[in-house]
Amino acid sequence: MTRVFSGVKPTGHLTLGNYLGAVRQWVAGSGDPARQRPEAALFCVVDLHALTVEHDPARVRRLSRQAATLLLAAGLDPERCTLFVQSHVDEHTRLAYLLECTASDGELRRMIQYREKAAKAQAAGDGVRLSLLTYPVLMAADILAYATDEVPVGEDQRQHVELTRDLAVRFNQRYGQTFTVPRATHPEVAARVMDLQEPTSKMGKSHDVGAGIVYLLDEPEVVRKKVMRAVTDSGSGVAHDREGKPGVTNLLDILAACTGADPRALAGEYGSYGALKKDTAEAVIELLRPVRERHAELAADPAAVEKVLRAGAERARSVARPVVDRAYEAIGLLAP
Ligand code: AQP
């Protein structure tokens, strides 16, 4: 059995980037007949990670519920996978401490996301939370607690999964074989969807300005407007060229991811930016339509979603507990 684990943090409304870079892969993978057992695919709303920057408690709670509902709406089937909330399973934080005793200060300070977010917090006059430095270790615990083989994520998480691998290998070398060493998997197209207004930056759900971000729950008219106003590049030729034409390349990648086409081949089919934008907007609207519709149904019955999350947490606990107990013993702690 190949075990898959991944998560999404409730720092904002889920975006097209989350969907194309990660969630769609989760749905496709959990429909794989080789992974029919629900404990073979675990997906998590990683709410503890949302506390690493300034946050509003009520908003985090609201976004956590919304993220779980959206994951179900996107097609995660609780009969075929395990969906839960990170803070409901103590094993994550239990294991994180052991991994903090395995990681070094230097390797955490090198994390790109830490450097970028710490600089942003400082510029805003906010303090930098210690958890912003240590959260990649918590992420490693999220993954390693489940003896995960594969972590389907967007391109931006590559460095964190590399750290997870390093920690697993180091722990195993020091204390004996304990953890499975996981590997990241990325979609072939749209592994890094860029902001429509700033196509050299990732489309990120926690970014302050939403004009370049397509949210999964945006109304069709809003999606159309955002895509039609996407920043394109100088010159009018449509070419797939990430360096020279980042805006157009982003649109080609999005359209290709929506339609299953090859983004380079698509470039040859368009003579103008306007036509490319129009087709991209319609393709995104059609891709998201069923997710929005299903979300509206599921959101009307929050008790049913909570029931799925409770059952998911129980199953997740039963998978993680023995792995984390083994790590406690291996590192030299007495069994209670
Ligand atoms: N733009 C993106 N393109 C492709 N994949 C993406 N992912 C996120 N953005 C893109 C992938 O979605 C999964 C969940 O992401 P996350 O919740 O960890 O991070 P986020 O949506 O990027 O939210 P933030 O708060 O804005 O995060 P920061 O600022 O930390 O980047 C992951 O698999 C991610 O790769």
Side-chain angles (χ1 to χ4, degrees):
M1 177 184 78
T2 301
R3 181 170 286 142
V4 172
F5 173 93
S6 201
V8 61
K9 56 180 179 280
T11 43
H13 301 284
L14 264 66
T15 71
L16 182 65
N18 296 130
Y19 186 71
L20 295 178
V23 176
R24 201 160 67 149
Q25 274 52 249
W26 306 352
V27 173
S30 57
D32 179 343
R35 292 185 189 145
Q36 293 283 314
R37 290 165 58 191
E39 65 275 23
L42 298 109
F43 303 108
C44 187
V45 178
V46 284
D47 51 352
L48 297 173
H49 291 286
L51 312 184
T52 56
V53 288
E54 282 295 313
H55 77 284
D56 167 11
R59 184 166 186 265
V60 169
R61 255 191 302 274
R62 204 168 53 243
L63 289 173
S64 296
R65 267 191 217 104
Q66 189 193 68
T69 310
L70 265 170
L71 293 180
L72 292 170
L76 286 186
D77 176 352
E79 301 290 320
R80 292 181 168 193
C81 69
T82 299
L83 175 65
F84 65 104
V85 175
Q86 181 192 30
S87 64
H88 294 177
V89 180
D90 292 344
E91 268 52 45
H92 295 241
T93 48
R94 254 184 97 213
L95 180 56
Y97 182 71
L98 300 199
L99 297 178
E100 281 186 19
C101 299
T102 310
S104 75
D105 174 71
E107 66 192 335
L108 292 182
R109 288 189 193 280
R110 279 198 295 277
M111 292 291 120
I112 296 164
Q113 292 211 6
Y114 168 70
R115 298 220 305 258
E116 287 177 358
K117 287 191 177 172
K120 197 173 156 195
Q122 269 157 348
D126 298 330
V128 177
R129 296 184 182 184
L130 179 59
S131 56
L132 187 63
L133 178 65
T134 57
Y135 91 89
V137 174
L138 177 60
M139 178 172 157
D142 299 337
I143 296 167
L144 298 181
Y146 296 97
T148 302
D149 299 289
E150 286 178 9
V151 191
V153 282
E155 180 72 40
D156 59 313
Q157 291 299 332
R158 190 184 285 271
Q159 195 185 29
H160 289 157
V161 180
E162 272 308 308
L163 174 75
T164 304
R165 290 168 58 83
D166 290 347
L167 295 180
V169 169
R170 195 176 307 154
F171 191 102
N172 288 347
Q173 280 170 351
R174 284 185 189 163
Y175 309 114
Q177 182 59 37
T178 306
F179 295 123
T180 301
V181 180
R183 66 184 188 93
T185 59
H186 309 287
E188 274 175 32
V189 182
R192 192 180 189 87
V193 177
M194 309 307 268
D195 189 291
L196 298 175
Q197 287 299 314
E198 215 182 312
T200 50
S201 303
K202 188 191 85 166
M203 184 184 282
K205 73 170 108 60
S206 63
H207 298 179
D208 307 329
V209 185
I213 304 174
V214 174
Y215 299 104
L216 299 190
L217 294 179
D218 276 345
E219 297 287 336
E221 203 37 56
V222 174
V223 175
R224 197 169 285 119
K225 228 180 242 163
K226 286 178 177 175
V227 176
M228 293 308 290
R229 289 182 185 165
V231 166
T232 39
D233 314 290
S234 54
S236 58
V238 176
H240 194 273
D241 169 5
R242 215 169 293 284
E243 296 287 305
K245 287 187 172 279
V248 169
T249 301
N250 192 34
L251 292 173
L252 287 167
D253 283 345
I254 292 172
L255 178 58
C258 291
T259 57
D262 175 77
R264 282 175 191 79
L266 273 180
E269 293 176 20
Y270 288 93
S272 76
Y273 293 164
L276 172 62
K277 285 180 175 178
K278 192 162 170 291
D279 284 2
T280 305
E282 296 315 313
V284 172
I285 289 167
E286 286 318 308
L287 186 77
L288 299 186
R289 190 185 300 284
V291 180
R292 276 182 55 243
E293 288 174 358
R294 183 81 184 114
H295 175 269
E297 289 165 21
L298 290 166
D301 188 2
V305 176
E306 272 169 34
K307 194 168 160 209
V308 167
L309 295 177
R310 265 199 306 279
E314 204 169 307
R315 193 180 304 123
R317 231 174 270 128
S318 71
V319 177
R321 177 72 54 82
V323 178
V324 178
D325 282 351
R326 221 168 31 245
Y328 265 65
E329 196 187 334
I331 207 169
L333 300 171
L334 280 177

